[in-house]
Amino acid sequence: MKSAIWNERNIHLDNITRERYQEIHEAGIKGTLTCSTCGEKVQLYLGIWKEPQFFHINEDISHENIERKTQKEAAITLAEEYVERDGFRYPKSRAISPSSQDTKKLDWKEPKVLSHLPIFTKEVSKTSPVLSSFFDRLQQRHIYLDSFQQEAASSIDGPLLVLAGAGSGKTRVLTTRVAYMVQEHAIDPRSIMLITFTAKAANEMKNRLRLFEDQHSRKISSLVTGTFHSIFYKILSHDHPTRWNGDNLLKWDWQKEQFLKQAGRKLGLDEKDFPFDQAIQQIGFWKNNMLLPKKVKANNKLEEQILSLYQDYEDWKKEKQVFDFDDMLMGCYELLANNPDLLAKYQARFKYFLIDEFQDINKVQYETIKLLALDGNICAVGDDDQSIYAFRGSSPDFILNYHIDFPHTKIVTLSNNYRSSHGIVAASNLVIAKNKGRKQKRMLAGYDNKSYPVLFYPYDEEEEATMIVWDMKQQIKKGAAPKNFAILYRTHSAARAIFERLSQSGLPFSLDQDYESFYNRRIVKGILGFLRLSNDPNDVQALSNILPALFLKQSSLQDAKALSILEDCSLVRALSSLSNLQPFQLKKIKKIIPMFSVLKTVTPSVALEMIEKDMGFDDYIKKRGNEGNSLEKGSDDIRDLKVVAKKFNSTVSFLEHVDDMIAKTDEMKKLSKKHSNAIQLSTIHRSKGLEYKQVFLLSAVDGSLPHDFSLESFRNGDQHALEEERRLLYVAMTRAQEALYISVPENRRGKKAYITRFIRDIL
């Protein structure tokens, strides 16, 4: 059904721009759409599998009976258009002359099923009779390992590199290897160090190790298990308990930021304007790469400022005798490197090292392990294809060059993916194979559910969110559990629309704890401050938020408050009476003051244009550069805000929506821990190591994934950042077990978007 009545007017979808479909969809939810035939209420279907069309609310999507096409049905349809040759599917030849249907321009694009993949073949695992007695006993306890896993678990002496691809069972290999060492080779578990990257992973290892213990034996539990930080901290606190007292630990970033802001005042850095979060990250990066302040070479003015803060921060910690998590790593290295007798003691104690997630290791961790592992008995388990933490100092080079530091390294590749279906594994292989800096390997799936990754094409991020929520709702109605779904994205800012749609849907969902509302971002708060002051010219917080955009220091806030009392005027009016203003500042302020009253009389879209162009916010963005973290540009935030603004007719309703979303973000973060059956929203970085039956990946377009910053690096001749972005996509794809949906919006942040080159390369 293509027509309906809206605002007492007959509308037809073919005569309406796609840009307005979301508005009509929301009108249907509010109950303001009716059927042009029977007068009953209707809604607009905006989903993945069928063209947009109206349906009756009181029926299960009637008239044209929209049904969700399954991937299997879609694959069967597509299979008729392909021919198999040499283990691949190729498209059949088609007539060159287009039909009238082909020449018609369609606003809606049918989803594309990635079925042009290698044909599934079941890999037959090799037998390993030499090791059968130990592993036979394990099978009796329902612990099974394939031949590659057995080889990795039973290779004990000397350096070992286990290339453990996504879903290959690396945790099982590590825990089995410990049991094999203790039970078969009688190695003292106290001489074994098992290192993980998260406390959660360490606890999982401990729980799994209990499966190997006999009823009357608790030998295995005496090995040292923990994260780099926890193990290195134990070494430090044992040697110097007063210096490394836990009460002196700076646990939170806000504690660091508090000092850095104080130090920044000496440099004249504005608290509201300077990216202190980026400074904290940059200092951590330098420290993890063993670069103390005197060894750092700043590449630009921002790095020069951060370097100055870094030196002050180190001096302050030394004076106050406090330390942070990075100090645990650097401190342990320095302790061992500067005390040969103490180092020899630990070298005599620990003979075997097992390191999980080796691709995430950084320089200081690596160098410390090299000091400790005198005999070179290091079992490094990781996947260079999943190295995605360059901003923390990790690099795939630690895996790629492992054999250089340890010349007699044995390499075992775990190539069976037990997590994902064949379609997902095969597509992921094609994506990651394009990277040049990697160990060559190809993962094999253990099963084929005839489900292939699906590309779907929303108009923009608003419609993208609607399509995903619609699809999940339909599946949940049919019995799917919300916890089966994950929605992944490159950065938190990309989750704005999906968060809003889920908040309105009633579906349970869970957030990363570090998720921050889009509307609380610095640049967004700044531009919204103008709108808030147009409605309330005495809004103190709003005035504080716009001062950086007026190139005024925060001290001006107190002056404006005093002047508003003395002159009995609003805070906005008081701005023109501030003293010590430069002539250009005074001229600008007097120009924009009358505009505040105009903002509330126009639509939010027009108001944002006025703030940006007429009130000088655009000049501020250009002079300021990146907002907060270098990954996020202020101009991008403004474009995203404009996308939201189009949905509202007044600044009052727009600001009410903003405040509602901020409140709901805080509420959802509190509830997230309590939700055991909820849709998971997560950045790709946060999702590593996790798995979900169905994964939706947002905004697979150039500029998002790969991110703009990596494209800029690539244009400047550096491909490392671009290769890390491809690894990010690989990680996202391999989180999916049964189904993977990749969104390719036609527009993003108000601009034309193009499918990510990582997917385009394999089509």
Side-chain angles (χ1 to χ4, degrees):
M1 187 168 72
K2 291 293 187 75
S3 62
I5 303 296
W6 182 33
N7 294 335
E8 300 181 352
R9 184 168 58 92
N10 190 57
I11 60 172
H12 195 283
L13 292 178
D14 289 346
N15 299 325
I16 295 175
T17 61
R18 179 81 176 275
E19 187 178 11
R20 300 201 67 188
Y21 280 19
Q22 179 64 35
E23 183 184 359
I24 298 170
H25 171 79
E26 294 188 9
I29 294 175
K30 294 173 184 176
T32 59
L33 289 180
T34 57
C35 178
S36 54
T37 303
C38 65
E40 295 294 326
K41 292 188 182 301
V42 295
Q43 288 186 7
L44 176 62
Y45 165 81
L46 279 182
I48 292 175
W49 297 99
K50 289 282 187 179
E51 286 188 59
Q53 52 196 277
F54 297 107
F55 67 94
H56 282 71
I57 296 174
N58 57 358
E59 298 177 29
D60 187 18
I61 316 180
S62 64
H63 275 309
E64 296 196 24
N65 191 26
I66 305 167
E67 292 182 359
R68 183 181 182 278
K69 185 190 294 184
T70 66
Q71 290 188 59
K72 189 177 292 187
E73 290 169 342
I76 291 171
T77 302
L78 283 169
E80 297 173 358
E81 302 174 6
Y82 285 82
V83 60
E84 291 182 0
R85 190 184 305 132
D86 300 327
F88 284 81
R89 292 185 178 86
Y90 297 92
K92 291 180 181 177
S93 58
R94 297 184 179 90
I96 295 175
S97 58
S99 64
S100 58
Q101 181 66 25
D102 292 329
T103 56
K104 180 185 176 183
K105 185 181 181 298
L106 296 174
D107 283 333
W108 182 80
K109 190 175 179 181
E110 188 170 346
K112 180 178 181 61
V113 180
L114 296 181
S115 59
H116 65 297
L117 300 169
I119 298 170
F120 174 69
T121 53
K122 183 71 175 177
E123 182 74 6
V124 179
S125 181
K126 297 181 294 183
T127 58
S128 187
V130 177
L131 307 174
S132 62
S133 60
F134 175 79
F135 294 104
D136 281 348
R137 292 199 302 274
L138 291 186
Q139 288 185 18
Q140 293 171 15
R141 302 172 72 170
H142 305 290
I143 300 173
Y144 302 93
L145 282 81
D146 64 36
S147 59
F148 304 106
Q149 292 172 331
Q150 289 183 35
E151 184 179 5
S154 57
S155 300
I156 304 304
D157 294 317
L160 173 68
L161 177 61
V162 181
L163 297 175
S168 61
K170 62 182 178 60
T171 303
R172 175 164 295 190
V173 168
L174 281 167
T175 51
T176 303
R177 191 173 193 270
V178 171
Y180 185 82
M181 293 167 70
V182 174
Q183 294 174 357
E184 289 295 297
H185 288 258
I187 294 173
D188 185 349
R190 291 173 298 180
S191 69
I192 303 172
M193 185 184 290
L194 174 56
I195 305 174
T196 65
F197 269 81
T198 65
K200 181 180 177 183
N203 290 329
E204 183 183 354
M205 293 282 188
K206 290 174 183 176
N207 291 332
R208 292 210 190 181
L209 284 169
R210 293 191 183 102
L211 298 174
F212 295 93
E213 292 189 316
D214 296 328
Q215 185 177 358
H216 303 293
S217 170
R218 291 292 179 265
K219 269 188 175 183
I220 294 178
S221 60
S222 62
L223 88 160
V224 174
T225 308
T227 64
F228 275 107
H229 286 90
S230 67
I231 292 174
F232 288 6
Y233 178 62
K234 284 178 183 177
I235 293 174
L236 289 168
S237 59
H238 185 269
D239 179 74
H240 201 325
T242 305
R243 165 73 179 87
W244 298 97
N245 188 310
D247 294 336
N248 300 329
L249 173 63
L250 300 172
K251 294 181 180 179
W252 313 108
D253 279 354
W254 65 263
Q255 294 172 298
K256 302 177 188 178
E257 189 168 322
Q258 195 174 47
F259 170 77
L260 292 180
K261 285 182 176 179
Q262 181 181 332
R265 294 189 193 110
K266 301 174 187 176
L267 301 175
L269 303 179
D270 193 297
E271 286 187 18
K272 287 275 186 180
D273 199 35
F274 188 78
F276 288 101
D277 52 350
Q278 184 176 342
I280 291 171
Q281 181 174 304
Q282 183 65 58
I283 290 170
F285 176 82
W286 283 331
K287 199 141 192 180
N288 288 332
N289 279 287
M290 306 178 75
L291 294 172
L292 295 177
K294 292 181 180 179
K295 291 185 178 180
V296 174
K297 292 183 179 179
N299 295 315
N300 49 53
K301 183 180 178 182
L302 177 60
E303 285 194 2
E304 288 175 4
Q305 293 170 323
I306 295 175
L307 178 56
S308 180
L309 293 176
Y310 182 17
Q311 182 64 67
D312 289 344
Y313 179 57
E314 293 301 303
D315 293 342
W316 173 73
K317 284 187 298 177
K318 188 175 182 180
E319 178 189 345
K320 297 295 183 182
Q321 292 190 327
V322 296
F323 60 94
D324 59 25
F325 287 104
D326 295 327
D327 293 322
M328 293 179 183
L329 304 180
M330 195 67 183
C332 186
Y333 173 81
E334 291 175 340
L335 175 68
L336 297 174
N338 297 329
N339 294 275
D341 292 341
L342 183 64
L343 175 60
K345 173 186 167 185
Y346 281 106
Q347 288 173 335
R349 160 78 189 274
F350 294 105
K351 296 296 184 182
Y352 297 91
F353 298 84
L354 291 80
I355 306 174
D356 189 20
E357 303 286 8
F358 195 72
Q359 75 279 348
D360 296 337
I361 202 169
N362 60 41
K363 185 174 182 179
V364 64
Q365 292 165 339
Y366 185 65
E367 294 299 329
T368 306
I369 289 296
K370 282 170 62 179
L371 283 178
L372 287 167
L374 182 63
D375 299 325
N377 293 325
I378 303 176
C379 172
V381 180
D383 182 10
D384 51 304
D385 289 335
Q386 297 185 70
S387 178
I388 58 173
Y389 293 115
F391 61 91
R392 293 182 188 168
S394 66
S395 167
D397 289 344
F398 290 114
I399 286 180
L400 299 180
N401 300 327
Y402 189 75
H403 64 284
I404 297 175
D405 285 325
F406 303 96
H408 303 294
T409 296
K410 178 178 181 178
I411 299 177
V412 178
T413 302
L414 306 183
S415 56
N416 291 325
N417 183 318
Y418 296 101
R419 172 191 300 150
S420 307
S421 68
H422 166 68
I424 294 167
V425 173
S428 303
N429 284 339
L430 291 177
V431 167
I432 200 61
K434 299 290 183 179
N435 266 5
K436 295 178 181 178
R438 65 184 292 262
K439 293 279 190 182
Q440 293 301 314
K441 52 189 170 297
R442 184 170 67 93
M443 298 302 294
L444 301 168
Y447 70 100
D448 185 11
N449 64 356
K450 303 299 181 185
S451 175
Y452 302 99
V454 175
L455 304 180
F456 64 101
Y457 305 92
Y459 175 77
D460 61 7
E461 50 268 76
E462 294 292 326
E463 193 175 284
E464 174 184 63
T466 297
M467 293 170 80
I468 291 172
V469 170
W470 182 282
D471 192 80
M472 289 191 302
K473 265 190 169 183
Q474 295 306 108
Q475 293 195 60
I476 289 170
K477 279 183 182 178
K478 294 177 181 178
K483 66 181 179 182
N484 292 346
F485 301 96
I487 301 168
L488 306 182
Y489 34 85
R490 176 64 180 83
T491 59
H492 280 310
S493 62
R496 191 268 313 157
I498 193 68
F499 173 84
E500 295 182 1
R501 209 68 74 251
L502 281 170
S503 297
Q504 298 160 353
S505 72
L507 295 176
F509 66 99
S510 181
L511 291 166
D512 290 339
Q513 285 304 303
D514 62 344
Y515 178 86
E516 182 183 46
S517 173
F518 168 77
Y519 303 105
N520 274 333
R521 296 174 63 77
R522 282 193 183 92
I523 292 298
V524 178
K525 281 198 296 187
I527 199 166
L528 288 175
F530 286 84
L531 288 182
R532 294 187 188 280
L533 285 168
S534 73
N535 285 282
D536 178 6
N538 289 306
D539 189 325
V540 176
Q541 186 58 55
L543 182 61
S544 175
N545 291 339
I546 75 165
L547 289 178
L550 301 177
F551 301 100
L552 298 175
K553 294 184 178 180
Q554 285 299 310
S555 58
S556 300
L557 178 62
Q558 299 304 321
D559 296 339
K561 288 165 71 174
L563 286 168
S564 70
I565 295 171
L566 289 173
E567 299 185 9
D568 191 23
C569 64
S570 69
L571 287 174
V572 170
R573 284 285 171 191
L575 287 174
S576 61
S577 300
L578 289 174
S579 58
N580 300 320
L581 291 180
Q582 297 293 327
F584 80 91
Q585 289 177 304
L586 186 60
K587 181 180 179 182
K588 178 178 180 179
I589 288 172
K590 287 187 174 180
K591 174 189 173 185
I592 69 172
I593 283 177
M595 296 183 189
F596 279 97
S597 58
V598 178
L599 292 178
K600 63 183 179 181
T601 66
V602 297
T603 65
S605 293
V606 173
L608 291 178
E609 287 291 334
M610 284 182 59
I611 296 167
E612 192 178 11
K613 306 299 181 187
D614 302 328
M615 301 178 81
F617 203 83
D618 193 35
D619 295 333
Y620 162 64
I621 291 295
K622 289 176 181 176
K623 290 181 180 179
R624 186 182 187 280
N626 290 336
E627 181 269 324
N629 190 290
S630 61
L631 286 179
E632 304 300 338
K633 294 181 179 178
S635 56
D636 288 341
D637 285 345
I638 294 173
R639 285 198 293 269
D640 205 2
L641 192 64
K642 288 178 179 178
V643 173
V644 193
K646 289 179 182 178
K647 298 163 58 177
F648 299 91
N649 295 319
S650 71
T651 56
V652 172
S653 60
F654 180 40
L655 290 174
E656 285 176 352
H657 170 77
V658 167
D659 292 337
D660 184 40
M661 289 301 109
I662 292 173
K664 282 184 175 175
T665 300
D666 294 336
E667 180 184 351
M668 283 307 306
K669 287 173 75 171
K670 293 175 183 176
L671 292 174
S672 287
K673 293 181 179 179
K674 299 178 182 178
H675 279 316
S676 58
N677 185 18
I679 298 159
Q680 180 64 50
L681 269 64
S682 175
T683 62
I684 300 172
H685 283 98
R686 288 283 187 182
S687 74
K688 193 167 82 68
L690 303 176
E691 57 188 37
Y692 305 92
K693 286 189 177 179
Q694 300 196 40
V695 167
F696 293 86
L697 177 60
L698 300 186
S699 204
V701 294
D702 279 354
S704 173
L705 187 63
H707 198 280
D708 277 327
F709 89 92
S710 66
L711 293 174
E712 185 175 344
S713 296
F714 180 67
R715 285 190 287 267
N716 292 330
D718 178 15
Q719 68 175 13
H720 290 95
L722 195 64
E723 293 215 339
E724 175 141 332
E725 294 290 299
R726 188 180 276 111
R727 292 194 293 270
L728 264 176
L729 176 57
Y730 177 76
V731 167
M733 294 174 73
T734 54
R735 298 314 92 199
Q737 295 170 296
E738 299 176 1
L740 173 63
Y741 307 92
I742 300 173
S743 172
V744 185
E746 296 175 19
N747 299 277
R748 176 175 174 265
R749 290 173 169 166
K751 284 183 162 185
K752 177 68 178 171
Y754 300 92
I755 185 171
T756 170
R757 60 194 63 201
F758 302 149
I759 296 293
R760 188 171 66 241
D761 286 349
I762 72 167
L763 290 178

